[in-house]
């Protein structure tokens, strides 16, 4: 943030210097002729209008600075917990997205490789292919192939059991993420209640209803609610994406497990 303020200060200083140079250059021209003297104020007004152009002024206002100002106006005591919940939720969501991305493989290609290795080199060759492949499907296949000598019933039980284990690993952390989704608006609403209580306390102490008395409490109430709702919506989007991704991987795991049993049945015959 210090670097941002430094950049903004340098930009403002350069802009002010440029305006001063333009004004200094316009001064001799104003003394030369009456026509130039009339033209100089016009140019100066143009420079001033450009300097105070609302769009330039709005564009120059840093979004980070505006957000920080609103954050401080809402009060550290209520805005900071919501921000911490948002950061923790985003960390869990990003970790899940990366984990699920690494768990995704080309299932059809993998099954074809396992079947080819099984037909050419037997169970050990197929297990080697599973060992060299990442993801839950490869782990399930390895567990099933490792119990081939115990019979197809043992293979099926191993596939089902380890499939549940892999599903649990895919869903790890989602409980915390759903907690943060529910906690964000709750903290915002709590800040809203506290802000309203502060407003009524101010009215009671003054014995009169005045906008100046209730403005502070109402601002805290609205800003904490706004941040809580924004945090909940952002986390909800990530949560739904992770859920859809997990459902897709679980469906592939189930289809691949059925295919493994079919492959081993044919191989045994």
């Amino acid at each position: 943030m210090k670097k941002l303020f430094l950049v903004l200060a340098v930009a403002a200083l350069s802009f002010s210097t440029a305006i001063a140079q333009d004004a200094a250059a316009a001064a001799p021209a104003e003394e030369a002729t009456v026509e130039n003297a009339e033209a100089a104020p016009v140019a100066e007004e143009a420079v001033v209008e450009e300097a105070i152009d609302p769009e330039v002024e709005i564009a120059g206002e840093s979004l980070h600075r505006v957000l920080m100002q609103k954050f401080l106006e809402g009060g550290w005591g209520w805005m900071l917990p919501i921000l911490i919940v948002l950061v923790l939720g985003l960390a869990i969501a990003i970790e899940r997205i990366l984990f699920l991305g690494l768990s995704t493989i080309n299932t059809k290609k993998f099954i074809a490789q396992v079947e080819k290795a099984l037909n050419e080199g037997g169970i050990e060759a197929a297990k080697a292919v599973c060992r060299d492949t990442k993801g839950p499907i490869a782990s399930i296949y390895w567990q099933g192939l490792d119990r081939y000598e115990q019979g197809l019933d043992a293979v099926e039980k191993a596939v089902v059991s380890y499939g549940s284990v892999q599903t649990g690993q895919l869903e790890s952390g989602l409980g915390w993420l759903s907690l943060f989704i529910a906690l964000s608006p709750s903290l915002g609403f709590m800040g809203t209640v506290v802000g309203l209580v502060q407003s009524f306390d101010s009215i009671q102490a003054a014995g009169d209803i005045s906008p100046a008395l209730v403005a502070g409490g109402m601002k805290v109430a609205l800003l904490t609610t706004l941040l809580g709702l924004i945090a909940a919506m952002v986390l909800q989007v990530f949560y739904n994406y992770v859920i859809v991704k997990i459902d897709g991987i679980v469906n592939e795991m189930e289809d691949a497990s059925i295919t493994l049993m079919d492959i081993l049945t044919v191989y045994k015959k």
Side-chain angles (χ1 to χ4, degrees), residues 22 31 49 71 78 123 156 162 165 168 174 179 187 205 268:
D22 292 340
E31 296 176 355
E49 290 177 358
F71 183 85
W78 298 106
I123 297 296
E156 184 177 2
Y162 205 71
V165 173
L174 292 185
L179 172 63
L187 291 174
K268 185 176 182 179

Side-chain angles (χ1 to χ4, degrees), residues 113-114 116-118 120-131 145:
Q113 292 176 348
V114 171
K116 180 180 179 181
L118 184 64
E120 294 179 355
I123 297 296
E124 293 300 325
K127 289 171 62 178
V129 173
C130 298
R131 191 181 302 111
L145 293 170

Side-chain angles (χ1 to χ4, degrees), residues 140-165 253-254 256-262 264-265 268:
I140 292 173
Y141 268 48
W142 192 93
Q143 294 291 333
L145 293 170
D146 189 52
R147 290 164 176 78
Y148 175 77
E149 298 298 333
Q150 302 176 14
L152 293 181
D153 291 338
V155 172
E156 184 177 2
K157 291 180 181 179
V159 168
V160 173
S161 300
Y162 205 71
S164 300
V165 173
M253 288 167 50
E254 293 176 352
S257 300
I258 295 173
T259 304
L260 174 63
M261 296 304 302
D262 295 338
L264 291 179
T265 300
K268 185 176 182 179

Side-chain angles (χ1 to χ4, degrees), residues 43-113:
E44 185 177 357
E45 291 177 2
V47 173
V48 174
E49 290 177 358
E50 182 180 359
I52 62 174
D53 188 357
E55 295 181 358
V56 176
E57 186 177 358
I58 293 174
E61 188 73 13
S62 171
L63 178 61
H64 182 272
R65 186 174 181 180
V66 172
L67 293 177
M68 180 60 68
Q69 180 182 359
K70 296 301 181 183
F71 183 85
L72 295 176
E73 290 177 356
W76 284 93
W78 298 106
M79 302 290 275
L80 186 59
I82 301 175
L83 184 61
I84 292 175
V85 168
L86 175 61
V87 172
L88 292 177
L90 288 176
I92 294 175
I94 292 173
E95 186 273 334
R96 285 293 89 191
I97 291 173
L98 295 177
F99 179 81
L100 295 175
L102 295 175
S103 301
T104 304
I105 62 174
N106 190 335
T107 307
K108 293 182 179 180
K109 181 179 179 181
F110 169 72
I111 293 175
Q113 292 176 348

